[in-house]
Amino acid sequence: KYADSAMYLAKRSGRRGFRFYTHDLTVEAAANLQLESQLRRAIDRGELELYYQPQVAFRDAEVLGSEALLRWHRPGFGFISPEQFIPVAEETGLIAEIGRWVLREACRAAAEWNGRGGPVHVVAVNLSARQFQSRGLVQMVEKILAETGCRPEWLEFEITESLLLDDDDTVAHALAAFKRIGLSIAIDDFGTGYSALSYLTRFPIDTLKIDRSFVQKVTTDPRHAELVKAILSISRCLGHRVVAEGVETMEQAAFLNVYGCEIAQGFLYSRPLPKREIPSLPRYLTPH
Ligand code: C2E
Ligand code: CA
Ligand code: CA
Ligand code: CA
């Protein structure tokens, strides 16, 4: 915020503001550098943790799985949001190591929760575009599955639409390989990217996650309501599972359920929870 307003002032005051502007950038760069070096050590120091947010059936709130969400306890700063540090991890390349750690943790959890029989609990893991740039992604995934005893059907990868616009073949190859292994693929934040809908037919996609920004307007804005109905109807025709993310109210849940959305994720059902709380969840959650 401070940096933004400083830049705004600098632009407005023209040359006189120039020094102020560069000074401020330096301060910001220094802060980022510090963030980076702390992030570099975060894994070794055990400061990263995965939380899991349940995904439930709209019909009866049965727990079907959960999304793994990264948390960082940064010394001296408390909890830092992934929206703040994931971009830094992507820019610096640290995402490779962090992503590997996340996947291993999530696979361990999935193996633990599914190892005792009972209903399958699918764990969804976010993959950043940057992770697809490394040649060894598919082998890394196979290695971690083998090491942790996680079966591919217990795991789903969440990727963003923008990744599919890269005409680079690496993404298509990786997705095809994941499919062959038996993993499922979800499109995260569906509807917010520059989607050419044709990609839905070109890539092996199992699940669409309707972005929270749409879900939160279905009961207040008729145009968003129509948009979400259209998404649900397309996905029915193409055979995709649809998860509505960020469901917060009973009204939103009722709307989505009526128009055929089957899976919900949001504060109405549960916040993201620490790992140890997942096994003691009831099989059916109570919305509140
Ligand atoms: P996302 O994948 O869209 O994750 C959903 C975000 O929405 C989470 O925020 C979750 O806590 C929040 N959320 C869930 N339900 C509700 C609701 O009902 N209301 C509201 N207001 N928010 C809700 P979080 O955990 O802060 O994660 C933010 C983003 O950081 C994620 O967005 C994802 O893009 C990224 N991220 C998190 N963990 C990882 C990771 O392990 N790897 C990568 N590459 N990215 C991650
Ligand atoms: Ca996600
Ligand atoms: Ca999302
Ligand atoms: Ca989102």
Side-chain angles (χ1 to χ4, degrees):
K1 277 279 139 49
Y2 171 67
D4 282 347
S5 53
M7 249 184 254
Y8 175 70
L9 273 178
K11 278 183 197 143
R12 267 183 41 126
S13 54
R15 284 185 62 192
R16 273 185 59 227
F18 188 66
R19 286 180 62 177
F20 189 30
Y21 175 79
T22 45
H23 166 76
D24 209 71
L25 276 186
T26 316
V27 170
E28 205 188 79
N32 260 341
L33 212 65
Q34 212 204 0
L35 186 80
E36 183 193 332
S37 70
Q38 283 197 14
L39 190 54
R40 219 171 260 290
R41 282 166 299 195
I43 296 181
D44 299 331
R45 297 186 177 173
E47 294 164 9
L48 298 183
E49 186 180 1
L50 284 185
Y51 272 49
Y52 297 85
Q53 185 176 33
Q55 295 185 349
V56 306
F58 265 114
R59 193 212 316 243
D60 52 9
E62 178 179 11
V63 178
L64 304 174
S66 57
E67 177 179 4
L69 294 161
L70 194 53
R71 299 290 177 259
W72 180 22
H73 309 267
R74 186 182 177 198
F77 292 83
F79 256 135
I80 306 268
S81 156
E83 314 221 59
Q84 263 178 285
F85 69 84
I86 295 283
V88 175
E90 283 171 344
E91 275 160 37
T92 55
L94 280 171
I95 193 70
E97 195 185 338
I98 292 175
R100 210 178 309 128
W101 182 88
V102 165
L103 185 62
R104 191 172 292 122
E105 279 294 306
C107 286
R108 276 198 195 120
E112 198 178 308
W113 300 332
N114 287 294
R116 319 179 182 109
V120 169
H121 183 110
V122 176
V123 176
V125 172
N126 293 284
L127 283 189
S128 115
R130 194 59 204 267
Q131 290 178 267
F132 282 82
Q133 286 169 11
S134 93
R135 293 264 147 213
L137 178 66
V138 174
Q139 290 89 313
M140 187 264 280
V141 169
E142 286 179 307
K143 185 160 163 266
I144 290 179
L145 287 173
E147 267 172 28
T148 57
C150 175
R151 291 211 203 128
E153 58 270 32
W154 300 337
L155 194 64
E156 176 160 84
F157 284 141
E158 297 194 2
I159 60 173
T160 53
E161 286 168 314
S162 53
L163 186 67
L164 304 178
L165 294 180
D166 266 339
D167 23 53
D168 180 0
D169 279 347
T170 25
V171 171
H173 282 138
L175 294 181
F178 290 154
K179 203 67 226 168
R180 235 179 293 121
I181 296 169
L183 295 157
S184 49
I185 312 281
I187 303 296
D188 205 355
D189 303 338
F190 182 72
T192 60
Y194 319 81
S195 36
L197 285 174
S198 60
Y199 78 69
L200 289 178
T201 62
R202 273 190 288 122
F203 294 97
I205 291 153
D206 304 280
T207 306
L208 303 181
K209 296 192 77 175
I210 304 182
D211 191 62
R212 181 167 93 216
S213 59
F214 294 105
V215 169
Q216 301 203 316
K217 289 187 192 134
V218 289
T219 49
T220 54
D221 174 356
R223 293 163 60 93
H224 277 85
E226 288 307 318
L227 210 69
V228 167
K229 278 155 71 176
I231 294 175
L232 289 168
S233 125
I234 291 177
S235 57
R236 197 160 32 247
C237 299
L238 295 179
H240 295 118
R241 273 177 8 125
V242 182
V243 177
E245 63 174 38
V247 181
E248 291 182 351
T249 68
M250 286 292 201
E251 291 72 27
Q252 290 161 2
F255 176 96
L256 290 156
N257 192 22
V258 163
Y259 289 102
C261 186
E262 289 173 341
I263 304 161
Q265 182 181 342
F267 295 170
L268 178 66
Y269 299 93
S270 174
R271 298 205 167 238
L273 303 169
K275 182 183 175 192
R276 62 173 183 284
E277 291 185 27
I278 297 292
S280 50
L281 278 179
R283 177 150 173 208
Y284 302 92
L285 300 184
T286 316
H288 49 252

